[in-house]
Amino acid sequence: MAARTLQQIDAGELDAAAEGVITLKRLARHLTRQHTVIEHLVAVSLVALARTPTAHLAGHPDLTAEQARAFIARLDALKPAHDASRALDIGERFIALDAIHALARGEAEALEDELPIAVHGFDVTIASREMNAWIDELVAIARKPTIRERRAALQAWEASRDERFEIFDRENREARHRFLAEHRDATPVERKTAIIVPLLMWSFGALESAMYPMDTGWYGEQLDRVAFALAGHRAETGSYPESLDELVPAWLEVVPEDPYAHEPGTPIVYRLEDDRVIIYSVGRNGEDDGGVDYPSDLAIEWPR
């Protein structure tokens, strides 16, 4: 679909190309109705796939101001994607709890082969309760209302998680001795149960890592909106603005904030260069790397 959209742009079929971009975004939103993180990641991959034709469309010299406004209106009319909290709360919780019960029954040989210690002989009820509490923490993070809040909470959570994972580092004898000291009076079953949940979360480590690309993927649509605002301004006036502030209020209500910048309230970056137009967020590393695109900066650009 993305390839066909690019062909339509080359043929000057701009309205049809805009329909293709919007269709990709609708399909992405449909996938977020599902209940696993992998489907959410596929969704943001579709959004990212739409970014190239979006840039080509915004940069097309024949795009009119009316077409730019129509695209922005259609983008604004799209229903919000479902956030990842539901996938964590339902699908991933079920997968994690199912893994605990499969291990207890001795029916998870593939998973056992990946774990650094034997995992038989633990209390399923306590392990399930602890796993639910761990998933609850991730769900609460995913439900925070802004990217900046989610980032801060996830960074704190990861620091705490890393401390819990120290006992799996074969070189970290201090962490192992500390664990044994804390559970000196525990029974073997209690000790094994205390380790099984962080052990499983260690094996499911991609869950929290997936939250970053999901946020950056959907935030990229802010750049799409600004790209067409720039294109519309160019179509109306014959030139690009010197600053994004010139797009307010005719094309944008406000200049979008960059939620990844270290300083709250920092706007996204706009550069009008000799050979290109580029807008970008500094991305998850928080550093302005000049718009080199993901995984550093999150950018959209087109020839000037």
Side-chain angles (χ1 to χ4, degrees):
M1 187 178 296
R4 183 182 66 181
T5 300
L6 289 171
Q7 290 176 339
Q8 290 168 331
I9 294 170
D10 289 340
E13 301 170 4
L14 304 188
D15 289 334
E19 180 66 33
V21 170
I22 293 296
T23 299
L24 279 169
K25 294 178 179 295
R26 283 178 176 156
L27 179 57
R29 283 162 169 76
H30 176 74
L31 285 172
T32 65
R33 299 172 62 186
Q34 307 306 311
H35 299 305
T36 65
V37 165
I38 188 64
E39 286 159 322
H40 279 254
L41 290 174
V42 172
V44 296
S45 296
L46 289 178
V47 172
L49 193 62
R51 190 167 301 132
T52 297
T54 296
H56 282 250
L57 190 56
H60 198 283
D62 295 336
L63 187 78
T64 66
E66 291 75 17
Q67 287 173 316
R69 286 192 189 279
F71 184 90
I72 293 172
R74 295 188 69 182
L75 191 60
D76 290 340
L78 289 172
K79 293 181 179 180
H82 292 279
D83 66 51
S85 65
R86 189 173 68 161
L88 290 166
D89 198 16
I90 300 175
E92 301 302 334
R93 187 188 301 274
F94 176 84
I95 292 170
L97 294 175
D98 184 61
I100 288 176
H101 286 262
L103 284 170
R105 296 191 304 266
E107 299 174 359
E109 294 181 2
L111 180 57
E112 288 185 57
D113 290 343
E114 297 180 5
L115 301 179
I117 65 170
V119 293
H120 300 293
F122 62 90
D123 189 306
V124 174
T125 299
I126 295 176
S128 298
R129 185 168 62 239
E130 292 297 317
M131 177 61 77
N132 272 320
W134 198 312
I135 296 290
D136 285 343
E137 293 175 10
L138 286 174
V139 170
I141 293 171
R143 287 177 175 165
K144 289 188 178 297
T146 67
I147 290 177
R148 191 173 294 278
E149 289 176 275
R150 288 192 293 274
R151 282 191 72 207
L154 189 57
Q155 287 169 351
W157 187 91
E158 286 177 332
S160 172
R161 175 210 59 185
D162 290 344
E163 291 180 7
R164 287 178 276 189
F165 284 1
E166 286 180 347
I167 56 174
F168 305 126
D169 182 355
R170 298 182 187 280
E171 304 300 322
N172 195 336
R173 295 184 178 180
E174 180 181 345
R176 290 171 179 259
H177 289 321
R178 185 169 61 248
F179 175 84
L180 291 173
E182 291 172 353
H183 297 82
R184 180 179 294 111
D185 298 327
T187 66
V189 169
E190 290 171 334
R191 278 196 296 270
K192 186 62 67 70
T193 302
I195 204 173
I196 188 63
V197 173
L199 183 63
L200 281 173
M201 288 305 293
W202 172 77
S203 69
F204 288 120
L207 283 182
E208 70 277 0
S209 300
M211 294 174 71
Y212 284 116
M214 286 188 284
D215 268 343
T216 56
W218 290 112
Y219 181 75
E221 291 196 340
Q222 293 280 0
L223 304 184
D224 297 347
R225 187 175 286 100
V226 175
F228 276 88
L230 287 166
H233 183 281
R234 178 208 64 213
E236 278 191 335
T237 67
S239 62
Y240 289 106
E242 293 298 319
S243 165
L244 294 181
D245 291 332
E246 296 179 39
L247 300 175
V248 180
W251 289 94
L252 298 173
E253 291 184 6
V254 295
V255 176
E257 177 189 357
D258 188 343
Y260 296 98
H262 293 308
E263 189 66 31
T266 302
I268 60 172
V269 181
Y270 163 56
R271 290 182 180 173
L272 190 58
E273 301 178 352
D274 291 339
D275 58 347
R276 69 172 181 168
V277 180
I278 182 169
I279 46 178
Y280 63 93
S281 158
V282 297
R284 60 181 287 186
N285 68 2
E287 303 295 333
D288 187 344
D289 298 308
V292 296
D293 210 347
Y294 188 82
S296 307
D297 297 344
L298 181 63
I300 182 170
E301 64 175 279
W302 57 92
R304 185 174 178 181

